[in-house]
Amino acid sequence: MGVHFGVSTFFVFCLLVLSANAREFRITARPGSDITGELSKLFKEACACVDRSTVLIPKGEFRLGEIEMMGPCKAPIVIVLQGTVRADGNVNGKDYWIAFRRITNFRLNGGGIFDGEGNASWRANNCHKTSLTQCKRLPISIRFDYITDGKVRDITSLDAKNFHINVIGAKNLTFEDVRIIAPDESPNTDGIHVGRSDGIKIINTNIKTGDDCISVGDGMKNLLVEGVSCGPGHGISIGSLGLYGHEEDVTGIRVVNCTLRNTDNGVRIKTWPSAACSTTASGISFENIMLHNVSNPILIDQEYCPWNRCNKNKPSTIKLVDIKFKNIRGTSGNKDAVKLLCSKAFPCKNVEIGDIDIKYTGKDGPATFQCCNISPKLVGKQCPKACSSPLTKAPGH
């Protein structure tokens, strides 16, 4: 007589088989050691496995130099960081500290800390003094390049020299319960920058940094930002767009149920005048956003030109279409509660403003709502009154 397995019994049996085939590769260096060479070796061995594998960095503090972990791998791979890895002070090497590249079925978790040791390097950031093509580029802390079907969960990025996390060319990649920390005066330390990717989720993540908490570059499709706490920082930004030629369209961006505290901007879209390309950003929604002392809470700025490095006399050629700002409420840190400054060459189209309630109690109040080259569709309540205020200069960073 054959043995009969029920569905649940068979499922448990399969899990046991998968677990038995999984392999673990563990860092054996003593705390305080440089693990760059050992980690590189272990990753290559794990990547070559035909079964699911885990690379474990145990509790303790370790030094880690520039490292690239490159796929494709033969089976799913998990990186577990339980301890802390610290970068060195090198600012003259590659454009990254840690790079995960071309990996499918990838996981990174473990509760550990990536410490970029950026404090000493921020003084080398001269991008606010010179052109973007000439300024000194500091290394990005963690790059995720061309990752497919991945999840990054329960890690901390601390004091990045440049961007904390950069994503390009990814498909179906989720960030959840990630913590990003840097001082509010740290330059160019964007929390998570995403571009030219499809199906990215950033969920239940806490970001405190010196630049955009989340920034969205060209070519981004189908991004969900949900349950994110941002501040200090420069808010949640689409763009800037239009600085470079051959940029790609942005579409399907949803920012929902997020909280911003003491940020220099709230939710914004920014494009360069005299843009080097003509692309479209469409299907963008900001919904259920709580504000606590947020300057420039709602902003479309198609005259974005920090440090006057462009020709403002040439209007932006980036088209903004199908944009929604809904159920955004709280307090503003300045009187410019809502500022919608669209391009004279290509006015914003199909912009919906619904249930806005932003208060400002400063001496130069009341709060203002400014519009230029836009006729928004109004739904529900708008406080301050929509498009009722004279135009003033847009913020420059």
Side-chain angles (χ1 to χ4, degrees):
M1 178 181 292
V3 178
H4 179 266
F5 288 103
V7 174
S8 60
T9 305
F10 181 74
F11 177 72
V12 172
F13 173 76
C14 290
L15 286 179
L16 290 172
V17 171
L18 288 172
S19 177
N21 289 338
R23 292 192 60 187
E24 181 178 279
F25 299 81
R26 182 185 181 96
I27 292 291
T28 59
R30 299 177 67 176
S33 302
D34 187 322
I35 63 170
T36 309
E38 185 180 8
L39 179 57
S40 180
K41 177 178 179 292
L42 292 182
F43 177 82
K44 290 176 182 177
E45 292 176 358
C47 190
C49 280
V50 295
D51 299 313
R52 178 185 179 93
S53 58
T54 296
V55 178
L56 174 65
I57 304 171
K59 292 183 178 180
E61 294 187 1
F62 303 92
R63 290 180 288 119
L64 182 64
E66 294 170 352
I67 185 169
E68 179 184 59
M69 287 173 263
M70 172 76 82
C73 297
K74 293 184 177 179
I77 190 166
V78 183
I79 308 295
V80 178
L81 174 63
Q82 295 177 342
T84 297
V85 289
R86 298 190 185 280
D88 56 29
N90 182 21
V91 297
N92 297 312
K94 300 182 184 296
D95 64 352
Y96 62 85
W97 172 32
I98 301 166
F100 300 100
R101 289 182 163 148
R102 301 188 183 280
I103 307 172
T104 299
N105 293 322
F106 170 78
R107 299 290 185 270
L108 171 62
N109 55 51
I113 299 172
F114 295 92
D115 186 347
E117 294 280 5
N119 187 46
S121 304
W122 294 325
R123 293 188 294 271
N125 187 315
N126 63 346
C127 293
H128 62 291
K129 299 177 182 178
T130 185
S131 71
L132 288 178
T133 57
Q134 295 175 337
C135 71
K136 187 177 186 64
R137 292 289 188 175
L138 298 176
I140 292 167
S141 266
I142 314 172
R143 295 189 64 108
F144 297 92
D145 298 348
Y146 304 98
I147 302 295
T148 300
D149 297 329
K151 186 167 186 178
V152 178
R153 185 181 182 277
D154 189 23
I155 63 162
T156 297
S157 175
L158 176 67
D159 289 347
K161 294 180 177 70
N162 195 324
F163 290 9
H164 288 263
I165 292 171
N166 189 88
V167 178
I168 190 167
K171 187 172 183 180
N172 300 329
L173 175 60
T174 297
F175 296 87
E176 185 173 4
D177 294 326
V178 173
R179 297 164 295 279
I180 293 175
I181 304 168
D184 57 0
E185 69 273 12
S186 56
N188 213 39
T189 53
D190 288 37
I192 302 177
H193 177 78
V194 296
R196 302 204 177 191
S197 299
D198 190 348
I200 307 299
K201 297 179 181 179
I202 304 172
I203 303 171
N204 298 334
T205 286
N206 193 319
I207 303 175
K208 302 177 180 179
T209 194
D211 210 299
D212 292 336
C213 290
I214 295 172
S215 55
V216 179
D218 76 287
M220 188 63 231
K221 300 177 182 179
N222 303 314
L223 169 67
L224 172 65
V225 177
E226 183 173 7
V228 168
S229 175
C230 166
H234 292 180
I236 298 175
S237 299
I238 314 300
S240 59
L241 303 175
L243 179 60
Y244 303 105
H246 309 293
E247 291 189 7
E248 299 177 4
D249 291 347
V250 173
T251 186
I253 311 299
R254 185 167 182 242
V255 180
V256 60
N257 298 331
C258 294
T259 300
L260 295 96
R261 300 177 186 274
N262 302 313
T263 54
D264 290 358
N265 297 283
V267 291
R268 64 173 172 168
I269 304 171
K270 49 183 179 177
T271 75
W272 290 76
S274 59
C277 59
S278 298
T279 57
T280 300
S282 63
I284 300 170
S285 66
F286 302 96
E287 189 170 353
N288 297 336
I289 309 296
M290 284 295 302
L291 311 166
H292 301 275
N293 191 39
V294 171
S295 297
N296 311 304
I298 299 175
L299 177 63
I300 293 178
D301 182 7
Q302 294 210 259
E303 295 182 354
Y304 178 76
C305 184
W307 309 294
N308 297 313
R309 294 181 299 189
C310 59
N311 180 6
K312 284 194 172 184
N313 293 323
K314 293 180 65 176
S316 179
T317 54
I318 307 299
K319 304 175 187 67
L320 302 183
V321 182
D322 297 330
I323 315 293
K324 293 181 180 180
F325 299 94
K326 297 177 67 177
N327 195 27
I328 300 177
R329 58 202 184 279
T331 58
S332 178
N334 64 354
K335 66 185 295 183
D336 298 328
V338 184
K339 187 174 285 190
L340 309 178
L341 306 182
C342 296
S343 170
K344 182 178 180 180
F346 296 97
C348 299
K349 292 184 177 180
N350 300 333
V351 177
E352 180 178 321
I353 307 292
D355 292 313
I356 306 300
D357 188 4
I358 302 174
K359 296 179 173 58
Y360 174 66
T361 58
K363 294 181 180 179
D364 59 338
T368 63
F369 192 135
Q370 304 172 41
C371 299
C372 182
N373 301 314
I374 183 173
S375 298
K377 176 184 177 181
L378 304 178
V379 178
K381 175 183 178 181
Q382 288 82 42
C383 179
K385 185 178 178 181
C387 304
S388 61
S389 307
L391 294 178
T392 58
K393 186 177 179 180
H397 64 279

